[in-house]
Amino acid sequence: MADIILKDIHKYYGTQHVLRGVSLEIYDGTKVGLIGKNGAGKTTLFKILSGEETYDKGEMQIAKGLRIGVLDQIPEYPADATVYQVIDSAFEDLRTLKKSIDAFQAQLAENPEASVMGRYGALLSEFESRGGYEIETRIKKVCTGLDISQEMQGKLFSALSGGEKTRVNLARIILMDPHVLLLDEPTNHLDIRSVEWLEEYLQTYKGTVVVISHDRYFLDRVVKRIIELEDGLALSCDGNYSKYVMLKEQKRLEQLRHYEQEQKKIRQLEAAVKRMHEWANRSDSAKIHRRAFSMEKRIERMKRDSTPRPKVEPRITKGFKAEDFSSSDVVLIKGVTFSFGNTPILNGVDLLIKRNDRLALVGNNGSGKTTLLRLINGELVPDAGIVRLGASVKVGYLPQQVVFGNPGMTVLDTMRHALITDEGTARNILAGFMFRGEDVFKTVDSLSGGERSRLKLCLLMQQQVNFLILDEPTNHLDIQSREWIEEALDAFEGTILFVSHDRYFIRKFASSVCELEGGKLLFFDGDYESFREYKRAIEEEKKRAASESVKAEKPKQERSRKSTPKALAKKLAAVEAEISETEMRLQEIEQEMQQNAADYVKLEALLAEKDALSENLESLYEKWMEISSSELLH
C-alpha cells in the first residue's frame, strides 16, 4: 500500500521552476534516500510532503490518518523550556489521553454507568498499547543513543547550539513514533557513535522513512531505494546508494552508446544527402534533389527525437603542487596536555605522524579533535608537552568553518590578491575548480559552505604544501562536492591528517586511525573497517569481563550447588514449573480483561497484575537460559 503518491508536481518560486513534474510513489515501510545537488529542490519537496508548503500544479495523495514526523526546521519553544521538556513533548497526545483516563476514573467514582465504563476501558487499553506505561524507558533509550546526557536534559533548550537543538529535536521526533519519518540531513550534527545508533534504529523501524542525506555510508546501510532530484524531475532506483551509482553509470554508458550510434547514422545520412545534391546538380535532376530534400526532413526528425548526449559531471582539473621534504617524521607529539580554563581536554597525548601517512582522527563531539588540530597548526600552545613539525614541512590547513580575511571581495579578486597574479591566470586556476563565468564575480561572503571549502582548497593547492590538515572537509557538502574534493585529495602525494564523521570519506582515505576519548589518544595502524572490527572486539571483551566479574561475586556455596548435575536438574524443573504457572495466569488475565471491560476497578487491577507478571516472566526466561547453559557444560 502506498503511503504517499505524487503525480506531476510542479513548484515555482517566482520565475524559478524548482520542481518540473515530480511523480513518485512511496510504499508503507519503505526506507527511501532522497539525493541531489544543493538547490535541486529536496527540502522544497519535504515541505510539500509535510504540508508546510503548497504545490502549484499536480496531485498529492497521502494515506488517511498518517502521522508524519519531520526533521527540518526547529520548532519554537518557551524560553524557559528545558531539554527534557522538549523531548517529553513527543508524548503530548499520550499525556492528554492520560488526563482523559483520570477524568473518566473520577466520573466513574460518582456515576459508574456501563457506557462510561466501556469508554474508560477502551482509553486504558489504547494508553497501554501505545506504550503509555513505558515513556521514561523510551526517553532514556533514545537519549542514551543520541548522547543526550542527564546534565544536558536539565539545560534550557534555548541555550543549546544549533547542532545540539537538532539532536534534541531528532530525539523528540523519534519518540513521537510516527508512521512516516521525513529526515533532512539527520547525521549532520551527530558523532559516529550516535550515527551508528540511528542507523540501527532506522533499520528496525517499522514505518516509512524518507531521508535527505549526503552521507553515502549512511545511505548504504539504511535505505532500500534511492530517489534523485535532477533538473526538477525525480529519478528512482531500487537498492542502496552504491547500487544506485553502479546502475546510473550503466545507464549513462548505455545512453552514450545509443547516442553515438544515432549520431553516426545521422552523419552517414548527411554525407549521403550531400552526395545526392552533387549528383543532382551534375545531372540537373529535380528527382534526385527531391529525394535529397526528403532525406533531409528525415534527418531533422532524427535529430529532434534522438537520444540526448548523457551529461558529464564537471571535475576538478587542477591538482596539488605538493613539495617534497627531507624529514621522515612530519609531526611529533609527546606528553601533550591542554585545558580550556578548568576543563581538561587532552591529557598526555602521544603521536608520531610519518611521511605519506593518511591518518583519520575520530572521536565523539567535544572529545578535543579540533583542539589537537589547532595545536599542530600552531594556533594553540599546549599546557605541557611537545608539538614539533619535521624539517621542511609546509602545512595547508582547511578548518571546519572557512573564513576569508576580506569577505566582501569577489572570488576572482580573492584569488588574484592571494597569488599576486593577473586576471587571466586567476580565471584559469578558478575554472579548474568549477568557478566559471559569472561565478568568479560572486563575493566570498555570498558563497555556500561547499563553495567556500572549494575556494580554500583551490588556494591551498597553489601553495606547494606537503602536509594537509583537514577539519571535517566534507561537512554540509552535497555528494557531488564531496566527490570533487575526494578527486583533488586522491592525487595529493603528501601527508594527510583529517577529522571527519564521513565514514565513506574515512574508508576511502585513512591508512590508519586515531581515536580521542577521555583526553587520551588510541592509535590503530590499519584501515577504518579493520578499526571498527577492533573496536567491536574490545566491546565484546568488556561485556565478557563484566559477565565474568558478576559470576565471580556470587557466593561460593551457590557455585558449588550449580556444579552438581542433580541440583541443576532440580532447579531447572522448578523454574520451568514457575514459567508454566505464570504463562497460564497471563492467559487467564487476558480472558478476565475481556469479561470485565466495563469494570474499571477490576480492569485496572488486572492490568497492574499483568505488568508485574510479564516483568517476572522475562526474569524467569533469563534464569532458565542461565541454568540450561550451566547444565550443558556438565
Side-chain angles (χ1 to χ4, degrees), residues 31-257:
K31 310 294 191 299
V32 178
L34 184 60
I35 65 172
K37 299 175 186 176
N38 287 337
K42 302 184 297 295
T43 302
T44 298
L45 186 58
F46 256 34
K47 289 180 178 179
I48 289 173
L49 292 175
S50 65
E52 187 179 340
E53 287 198 9
T54 59
Y55 46 92
D56 298 308
K57 179 185 173 184
E59 181 182 351
M60 179 171 70
Q61 299 173 17
I62 295 181
K64 190 175 180 180
L66 212 61
R67 292 197 314 274
I68 298 179
V70 187
L71 178 71
D72 52 2
Q73 295 181 342
I74 299 171
E76 291 291 329
Y77 296 100
D80 60 348
T82 65
V83 168
Y84 180 85
Q85 288 171 333
V86 169
I87 294 172
D88 186 64
S89 68
F91 301 104
E92 281 182 3
D93 55 341
L94 282 176
R95 302 289 189 200
T96 302
L97 185 59
K98 185 64 170 65
K99 288 178 182 178
S100 298
I101 291 170
D102 293 342
F104 270 103
Q105 189 172 351
Q107 187 179 347
L108 281 168
E110 300 177 0
N111 183 22
E113 294 180 1
S115 60
V116 178
M117 285 184 180
R119 179 63 179 148
Y120 173 79
L123 289 175
L124 206 61
S125 179
E126 181 186 353
F127 185 75
E128 182 192 20
S129 67
R130 292 179 58 186
Y133 294 110
E134 303 163 357
I135 288 176
E136 293 303 323
T137 303
R138 290 165 65 187
I139 289 176
K140 183 177 179 181
K141 180 180 178 182
V142 172
C143 286
T144 300
L146 293 177
D147 197 23
I148 302 173
S149 64
Q150 287 281 350
E151 180 186 359
M152 185 175 173
Q153 291 173 42
K155 291 182 178 179
L156 290 177
F157 181 76
S158 57
L160 300 182
S161 67
E164 289 171 330
K165 287 180 178 178
T166 300
R167 192 150 36 104
V168 171
N169 201 34
L170 176 59
R172 181 186 66 84
I173 290 165
I174 288 173
L175 288 167
M176 286 171 62
D177 196 26
H179 300 110
V180 178
L181 280 172
L182 302 180
L183 305 177
D184 193 348
E185 290 291 354
T187 66
N188 261 2
H189 300 286
L190 303 182
D191 54 36
I192 291 176
R193 184 179 65 182
S194 296
V195 171
E196 289 178 345
W197 178 89
L198 179 61
E199 287 170 348
E200 291 171 5
Y201 170 81
L202 293 177
Q203 285 167 356
T204 58
Y205 178 67
K206 294 180 180 179
T208 303
V209 178
V210 185
V211 55
I212 295 173
S213 183
H214 301 309
D215 187 333
R216 295 157 290 178
Y217 201 102
F218 176 82
L219 291 171
D220 271 350
R221 292 200 66 197
V222 172
V223 309
K224 302 299 181 185
R225 184 181 172 201
I226 293 288
I227 296 175
E228 182 178 20
L229 283 181
E230 186 176 30
D231 298 329
L233 299 173
L235 309 173
S236 180
C237 169
D238 289 333
N240 62 13
Y241 177 75
S242 291
K243 183 179 179 182
Y244 167 77
V245 171
M246 179 186 70
L247 292 176
K248 186 177 181 181
E249 179 61 13
Q250 289 177 355
K251 183 179 178 182
R252 188 191 72 82
L253 292 174
E254 183 68 15
Q255 184 179 340
L256 180 61
R257 186 175 66 83

Side-chain angles (χ1 to χ4, degrees), residues 509-523:
F509 285 103
S511 58
S512 51
V513 181
C514 279
E515 182 179 45
L516 263 176
E517 185 175 9
K520 298 292 186 180
L521 191 70
L522 167 70
F523 178 83

Side-chain angles (χ1 to χ4, degrees), residues 293 322 528:
F293 289 137
Y528 180 65

Side-chain angles (χ1 to χ4, degrees), residues 364-379:
N364 295 334
N365 290 337
S367 61
K369 302 184 298 296
T370 296
T371 298
L372 184 57
L373 296 190
R374 294 178 67 191
L375 284 164
I376 294 171
N377 195 43
E379 295 180 21

Side-chain angles (χ1 to χ4, degrees), residues 298-559:
R298 179 186 171 192
I299 292 171
E300 289 302 317
R301 287 194 300 271
M302 288 180 66
K303 287 181 176 179
R304 185 180 65 246
D305 302 330
S306 66
T307 301
R309 186 185 184 94
K311 290 183 178 179
V312 178
E313 296 294 344
R315 303 167 67 91
I316 288 180
T317 58
K318 303 292 182 180
F320 275 95
K321 296 179 179 179
E323 182 170 305
D324 200 6
F325 50 94
S326 56
S327 175
S328 62
D329 296 344
V330 178
V331 180
L332 171 66
I333 298 173
K334 188 70 176 175
V336 166
T337 299
F338 185 83
S339 300
F340 280 117
N342 295 323
T343 306
I345 305 297
L346 304 175
N347 183 18
V349 169
D350 297 324
L351 177 64
L352 176 62
I353 302 176
K354 308 286 285 184
R355 182 168 53 191
N356 297 326
D357 278 352
R358 293 194 167 192
L359 180 61
L361 180 59
V362 300
N364 295 334
N365 290 337
S367 61
K369 302 184 298 296
T370 296
T371 298
L372 184 57
L373 296 190
R374 294 178 67 191
L375 284 164
I376 294 171
N377 195 43
E379 295 180 21
L380 299 173
V381 178
D383 299 332
I386 299 169
V387 177
R388 182 183 299 148
L389 296 180
S392 66
V393 170
K394 292 188 177 180
V395 178
Y397 180 45
L398 183 68
Q400 192 171 149
Q401 300 293 332
V402 176
V403 178
F404 292 92
N406 296 294
M409 290 176 65
T410 66
V411 171
L412 179 60
D413 288 341
T414 300
M415 179 60 67
R416 291 190 63 186
H417 180 75
L419 302 183
I420 313 176
T421 187
D422 60 86
E423 181 176 333
T425 302
R427 276 179 171 272
N428 184 47
I429 294 170
L430 289 167
F433 286 79
M434 277 74 71
F435 290 106
R436 300 185 175 99
E438 296 299 315
D439 289 344
V440 301
F441 298 115
K442 289 181 179 178
T443 57
V444 170
D445 57 4
S446 70
L447 299 179
S448 67
E451 289 171 328
R452 291 187 189 194
S453 293
R454 192 160 17 112
L455 180 58
K456 180 67 174 179
L457 198 63
C458 177
L459 291 170
L460 288 178
M461 285 186 173
Q462 315 309 313
Q463 297 173 9
Q464 296 187 317
V465 299
N466 47 35
F467 177 38
L468 279 176
I469 302 176
L470 312 172
D471 193 357
E472 294 287 1
T474 64
N475 213 17
H476 303 294
L477 302 186
D478 59 27
I479 290 175
Q480 185 186 53
S481 297
R482 292 178 186 214
E483 290 174 346
W484 285 342
I485 286 180
E486 287 168 359
E487 286 174 14
L489 294 176
D490 209 30
F492 181 62
E493 297 178 354
T495 305
I496 303 176
L497 169 65
F498 64 93
V499 169
S500 182
H501 292 138
D502 184 343
R503 292 160 298 166
Y504 196 99
F505 183 88
I506 298 173
R507 186 171 59 178
K508 183 167 184 174
F509 285 103
S511 58
S512 51
V513 181
C514 279
E515 182 179 45
L516 263 176
E517 185 175 9
K520 298 292 186 180
L521 191 70
L522 167 70
F523 178 83
F524 180 82
D525 187 13
D527 62 24
Y528 180 65
E529 292 302 329
S530 300
F531 171 73
R532 290 186 71 210
E533 290 296 327
Y534 170 74
K535 290 289 291 184
R536 276 194 287 265
I538 288 178
E539 290 300 318
E540 289 299 321
E541 178 61 25
K542 285 181 179 178
K543 289 178 183 178
R544 189 195 63 77
S547 176
E548 292 295 327
S549 176
V550 170
K551 289 179 182 178
E553 291 174 1
K554 291 183 179 180
K556 291 182 180 180
Q557 290 181 354
E558 184 178 343
R559 292 203 300 272

Side-chain angles (χ1 to χ4, degrees), residues 556-599:
K556 291 182 180 180
Q557 290 181 354
E558 184 178 343
R559 292 203 300 272
S560 65
R561 283 198 301 270
K562 284 187 175 183
S563 64
T564 307
K566 188 175 180 180
L568 285 172
K570 186 176 179 180
K571 197 167 187 177
L572 191 65
V575 173
E576 287 174 346
E578 192 174 353
I579 287 174
S580 180
E581 290 176 7
T582 305
E583 289 176 337
M584 287 179 62
R585 177 55 190 152
L586 284 170
Q587 290 176 3
E588 291 172 359
I589 288 174
E590 290 291 342
Q591 295 174 357
E592 290 179 29
M593 286 175 68
Q594 293 178 9
Q595 295 167 2
N596 296 276
D599 186 345

